[in-house]
Every structure is written in C-alpha cells, then in structure tokens.
Amino acid sequence: KFVKGGALTGGRSRASIMRVVMQNLAALRYAYNKRLREKPGLKGKITCKFAIDEFGKVIFCEATDSDMDDPTLVAEVIDKIKRWVFEKIDKPGDITEVIYPFAFSQ
C-alpha cells in the first residue's frame, strides 16, 4: 500500500520525482517484507524528508516521522533513498526538498 501526497519545494516537477519513487518502491517493499519475517504484524508509516541537488543526487535524507517501532527498517529506507538517482535539471544551485510518507502494510 502506498500513500500519495507529500510536500515539495524547488525546481523539480512532482511527476519527475514520482517516477523515481515508483521505480524504487519494490526495493522498499522488499526491505519491509524481510523485516516482516522477523517482526510479524509490523506495519505503519515512515515519513521521509530528502533533498535532491541539480545533478539528481540525494544529498540529504532523514525520517521526520514514523509510527513503526522498527529502527532497522527506518534506517534501511533512509539508506535506500540516499542512493536514488533523479534526472539532472538545468537550474544551477537548485535544491529540491521532498517530504514523502511511505506506508507499509501486508
């Protein structure tokens, strides 16, 4: 299950960000399913704030909110987001900040 929404500031389009988020959801789902085997019944939402520079690199990511009692999964989600690659944009110095809720349930 996936929550639409989130906030966005900077020069990137919501559509271009969503494209990369959607491409990478399987990896987040995989990490969640792996934790689920160790912690049956695990579910909840992790809201992440991340920043993308003009070159498409994630230069910052943190969980701003989580109701999941699983620091291991939260850390893994952050780690994965930090490796996402977005397209370059022709806006020198632009930093796009995204706040996005990821909902995990069986």
Side-chain angles (χ1 to χ4, degrees):
K1 202 166 89 168
F2 195 66
V3 176
K4 289 265 187 282
L8 179 66
T9 58
R12 292 176 177 274
S13 74
R14 185 175 288 269
S16 73
I17 290 167
M18 284 306 297
R19 196 160 47 245
V20 176
V21 169
M22 291 305 182
Q23 281 166 356
N24 287 282
L25 272 188
L28 299 186
R29 160 77 46 207
Y30 178 78
Y32 167 70
N33 287 335
K34 210 167 67 183
R35 291 301 295 153
L36 203 52
R37 287 199 286 277
E38 291 165 40
K39 294 180 93 168
L42 181 68
K43 65 176 187 175
K45 191 165 79 176
I46 302 171
T47 300
C48 290
K49 176 180 182 177
F50 55 99
I52 309 156
D53 70 11
E54 64 189 280
F55 305 107
K57 194 168 165 8
V58 176
I59 53 171
F60 170 84
C61 182
E62 70 174 1
T64 56
D65 190 34
S66 172
D67 60 7
M68 282 190 120
D69 185 25
D70 190 17
T72 304
L73 181 63
V74 172
E76 203 169 335
V77 166
I78 289 168
D79 190 50
K80 287 187 184 312
I81 292 172
K82 281 180 177 169
R83 288 192 236 136
W84 290 358
V85 179
F86 294 81
E87 60 207 29
K88 290 182 175 138
I89 55 171
D90 191 17
K91 293 184 179 167
D94 182 80
I95 303 290
T96 301
E97 276 202 351
V98 183
I99 297 171
Y100 210 96
F102 299 93
F104 298 93
S105 62
Q106 285 167 284

